[in-house]
Amino acid sequence: MYRRTYVRERMHTFDKAILTVPDNVYLDGYWQTEKYFKDIEEILRREVTLKDEPDSINLEMAERIQACHSVSLHVRRGDYVSNPTTQQFHGCCSIDYYNRAISLIEEKVDDPSFFIFSDDLPWAKENLDIPGEKTFVAHNGPEKEYCDLWLMSLCQHHIIANSSFSWWGAWLGQDAEKMVIAPRRWALSESFDTSDIIPDSWITI
């Protein structure tokens, strides 16, 4: 049993000993497996939301997302590309991954509308072949990423990157029929055991 008031994540797989921690402790880590909170998932989906009313641009985007067969598509680059150490550990999802995921969505979803979120939208525009209706969500910027996360969660279906940001955007989505496509290989590093990260109901390619 843990008896400390500050607990750091020891592994990326599920650590059942964490469930024995007492109340009023600080948890430091990603804790990125729903095995920690599966039993309260509906509570989390209700409570992890915006504190303040979104501005008019985000409200308009939310209405568009909820009025169609929306698919969030997240491209994570940033330090995955610019930092050699991070790049070697995480790596980026390939163009082939996104093309296969988009094809699967087209096969399973009628008239999908893609909403693209990224820290490198110019790269996404230049390299991804996204058919049909698509919107590159560019109005929030780094200072309002939480609004992008909220907008992601409103989408019916999701294509995520190997990123905790889009993982949470997809997980918080409340559509009962949602399809979530995730990369089978979450990290390049062989030392990073990611076997508990992807929920069983998600599709990996």
Side-chain angles (χ1 to χ4, degrees):
M1 175 181 289
Y2 284 98
R3 297 187 181 280
R4 293 169 290 166
T5 58
Y6 184 92
V7 178
R8 188 184 301 276
E9 186 177 36
R10 301 184 301 184
M11 60 188 79
H12 295 286
T13 50
F14 176 60
D15 181 2
K16 65 180 181 181
I18 293 297
L19 302 181
T20 68
V21 299
D23 293 340
N24 300 317
V25 300
Y26 291 98
L27 298 176
D28 181 6
Y30 283 92
W31 316 108
Q32 197 169 325
T33 169
E34 67 174 5
K35 293 180 180 180
Y36 288 122
F37 41 78
K38 180 69 175 174
D39 59 333
I40 59 165
E41 60 180 315
E42 296 310 317
I43 296 174
L44 286 178
R45 289 194 176 100
R46 288 196 305 269
E47 293 191 351
V48 181
T49 187
L50 299 180
K51 292 172 61 178
D52 301 314
E53 179 78 5
D55 59 28
S56 59
I57 298 176
N58 281 299
L59 284 174
E60 180 181 351
M61 185 67 70
E63 290 177 2
R64 289 180 55 194
I65 285 172
Q66 293 173 309
C68 63
H69 297 153
S70 53
V71 182
S72 76
L73 187 156
H74 182 233
V75 176
R76 170 75 159 86
R77 286 176 61 79
D79 60 342
Y80 280 18
V81 175
S82 64
N83 185 307
T85 302
T86 306
Q87 182 184 44
Q88 186 176 17
F89 185 85
H90 288 284
C92 286
C93 293
S94 67
I95 294 175
D96 179 64
Y97 162 72
Y98 286 109
N99 287 339
R100 291 169 63 196
I102 290 166
S103 294
L104 184 56
I105 289 288
E106 286 193 286
E107 179 184 327
K108 301 291 186 181
V109 179
D110 292 333
D111 299 318
S113 294
F114 293 90
F115 291 82
I116 300 91
F117 301 83
S118 179
D119 55 4
D120 192 349
L121 282 175
W123 185 95
K125 290 178 181 179
E126 182 176 342
N127 290 279
L128 297 184
D129 183 16
I130 304 172
E133 189 70 26
K134 55 185 173 287
T135 302
F136 291 88
V137 183
H139 61 274
N140 283 315
E143 67 280 359
K144 295 182 69 175
E145 288 179 334
Y146 56 89
C147 287
D148 279 351
L149 185 67
W150 174 68
L151 291 172
M152 274 188 198
S153 74
L154 298 180
C155 292
Q156 291 183 346
H157 308 288
H158 309 270
I159 297 172
I160 72 171
N162 54 335
S163 163
S164 59
F165 188 77
S166 50
W167 188 99
W168 278 103
W171 192 90
L172 289 169
Q174 299 194 40
D175 194 293
E177 304 298 322
K178 72 180 178 183
M179 179 165 57
V180 182
I181 301 174
R184 180 174 289 112
R185 188 166 187 180
W186 195 259
L188 293 180
S189 173
E190 297 293 342
S191 65
F192 191 1
D193 185 345
T194 60
S195 57
D196 285 335
I197 286 180
I198 305 300
D200 293 339
S201 61
W202 294 10
I203 300 168
T204 58
I205 60 175

